[in-house]
Amino acid sequence: MRSNAVQITFFVFAVVVAAALQDMSPAVGGAKVALLQAVAFRVALTRRLVAALACALAAGGMCDALSMHPGFCTAGFLMSLSVATALIRGTDRVERRPSRRGGGDLKVRSAFAAACLFAVVAPAGELWTRIWLWRMDSSLFAGLAFAAISGFAAELVVFALMDALERMCGIPHDFAEGGEA
């Protein structure tokens, strides 16, 4: 139980710090650095579905509130991303073992690989938001390019930093090398 309290505190702290930094970041082409989405994506890559959905809901809700978007605009995207990631990884079950449905074997262990994946996910999130808000203007391509570049850099830092901090805090990983927890 103590480990769960430490994990919850850690992830709440990560979301709050990411929200503060994202709110202070400049916007280019209408897009800001996607730090909250990077935190939610990192949790989706390394944790079980329930934890990933909780983090996605918190990060998306915080992002929607800071950007004054309608409810579940970003949260809906991040929750969909968490489910898709869990299905691709093959760990969509609540138990700690992989599912038997023959899902993929997506195990992202390096910050560079996560950053490359997020460089695709961040522009998709920006496009999702623009479609949701019916805001297709001339700054679309600049916003998508900025989302890809800043998404790569953000996830590179977020993944490495959260991994190092989790190890320092003694937070266990959900998925060990052999598929066991």
Side-chain angles (χ1 to χ4, degrees):
M1 184 56 104
R2 178 175 167 233
S3 177
N4 289 339
V6 171
Q7 288 183 39
I8 290 169
T9 304
F10 178 79
F11 290 126
V12 166
F13 180 73
V15 167
V16 169
V17 169
L21 291 173
Q22 181 172 320
D23 194 40
M24 291 187 302
S25 72
V28 174
K32 284 190 161 226
V33 177
L35 289 170
L36 282 164
Q37 292 90 332
V39 169
F41 186 64
R42 198 282 182 180
V43 172
L45 287 175
T46 59
R47 300 291 170 192
R48 291 189 310 255
L49 181 59
V50 174
L53 286 174
C55 186
L57 184 62
M62 186 80 74
C63 187
D64 290 339
L66 289 173
S67 302
M68 293 190 291
H69 291 158
F72 287 100
C73 175
T74 308
F77 174 73
L78 292 176
M79 291 174 75
S80 301
L81 179 66
S82 295
V83 169
T85 303
L87 289 172
I88 291 169
R89 262 195 353 229
T91 54
D92 55 332
R93 302 172 77 183
V94 176
E95 292 101 20
R96 294 178 185 233
R97 62 176 187 225
S99 72
R100 298 176 191 218
R101 287 189 308 182
D105 196 20
L106 178 67
K107 289 183 179 142
V108 178
R109 303 217 190 284
S110 74
F112 183 76
C116 289
L117 287 172
F118 196 66
V120 175
V121 170
E126 180 64 24
L127 188 60
W128 169 291
T129 302
R130 287 178 184 258
I131 289 171
W132 186 283
L133 299 175
W134 290 92
R135 193 181 66 186
M136 296 294 181
D137 51 3
S138 61
S139 67
L140 174 68
F141 295 113
L144 293 177
F146 179 73
I149 294 166
S150 67
F152 178 83
E155 187 64 34
L156 192 64
V157 171
V158 165
F159 194 93
L161 186 62
M162 284 184 71
D163 193 45
L165 289 173
E166 281 180 357
R167 275 188 268 120
M168 271 181 22
C169 293
I171 298 174
H173 289 279
D174 278 357
F175 306 108
E177 290 293 322
E180 302 167 11

